[in-house]
Amino acid sequence: MLKISSLHNMETETALRLSTIAADSHLLESALANFPQQLEITSYPQLDDFLATVHESSYPQLILISQTRCDQYNRSTINQLLDRCPLARFLVVLGPLCAAERRTRNQWPVAWMVPEWAFLQRLQREIEVLSDQRPALPVTASLEEVARFDFESSAPQKHLGEAAIIFSPDAIWAKTMALIKDQSDSSIVCHNPHNLTKTLTDHPELPLIFDLDPLTSDLKVWLKSNRTLIAQRSSLAFCNWRSQRLIENSKAWGFQDCCCKLAPPL
């Protein structure tokens, strides 16, 4: 067990207690560098170490668990954790190999899971919850509710964002991108490339956010046929795996850049 406290914790204000499990030095350093003076971190190498010692000290208000592969933690151990700390907030940070965890597994509630690239943003929100500055995300929250919690208030309320045309066969991903890009709910979401052609023609002023997955032969034909409509605006392509060949192809189709979904530009 490693206990880390800010130098300012001698102040009278009570420290927020954060316990991390299997977190690497990068996550620990980020938490210390970006968050409140009154943040106190206790770090454990494994979940079993935490369960064996948590009764010896004050219970943490927030528990951050790093997961680097699917099925890393078994259900019985997770149940022990929930029984031991029923009032704590939880944050399960998913590494790149766990990208599909929220869709293909149910070990953790989706409300607790966050990809590694969004860790700092979610940690800030959880600290705001613990400081009574925002409502908590319920453990039963849906993917859409999670997206709103993470992105809806990331910009000041007066900022309406930028409307865009968003294409994706994945309805959840498209809605999430709409929340990130546009707080005014004026973005246009398309799931069919045939409908997209008319939308691009009718709205030449709107930027395009385009999901390349799955890149079928029919979609490739559509991209080649509509290069002019893509290139005449600000257009970004998104994919699961950003290979050099796909980057080159996306530019040939008229996109300014091809971005990885695991770390989208915000």
Side-chain angles (χ1 to χ4, degrees), residues 128-198:
E128 290 171 0
V129 168
L130 294 171
S131 303
D132 295 324
Q133 298 177 30
R134 72 162 59 234
L137 181 67
V139 67
T140 56
S142 65
L143 282 172
E144 184 171 350
E145 290 174 307
V146 171
R148 289 189 179 278
F149 181 82
D150 282 336
F151 300 116
E152 191 170 53
S153 59
S154 60
Q157 291 299 311
K158 291 182 180 179
H159 174 64
L160 296 180
E162 181 183 21
I165 298 170
I166 302 171
F167 168 79
S168 176
D170 184 338
I172 296 297
W173 187 87
K175 286 184 178 180
T176 301
M177 292 304 294
L179 287 169
I180 296 172
K181 293 292 183 181
D182 179 21
Q183 300 295 317
S184 65
D185 295 327
S186 55
S187 287
I188 302 172
V189 175
C190 294
H191 304 302
N192 188 306
H194 301 296
N195 298 333
L196 180 59
T197 303
K198 184 178 186 306

Side-chain angles (χ1 to χ4, degrees), residues 2 4 11 31 58 78 83 86 130 142 144 168 181 183 196 202 211 220-221:
L2 176 64
I4 308 173
E11 298 176 359
S58 299
I78 293 173
D83 290 341
L130 294 171
S142 65
E144 184 171 350
S168 176
K181 293 292 183 181
Q183 300 295 317
L196 180 59
D202 293 343
D211 183 2
K220 289 181 181 179
V221 171

Side-chain angles (χ1 to χ4, degrees), residues 66-78:
S66 181
Q67 180 167 315
T68 57
R69 57 180 173 80
C70 293
D71 303 319
Q72 182 173 343
Y73 302 100
N74 61 63
R75 188 65 202 178
S76 62
T77 304
I78 293 173

Side-chain angles (χ1 to χ4, degrees), residues 4 7-8 27 41 73 79 81 84 86 109-110 131 156 231 239 250 260:
I4 308 173
L7 294 176
H8 297 278
L27 291 181
I41 301 178
Y73 302 100
N79 288 337
L81 176 65
R84 192 72 60 84
V110 294
S131 303
C239 63
S250 67
C260 179

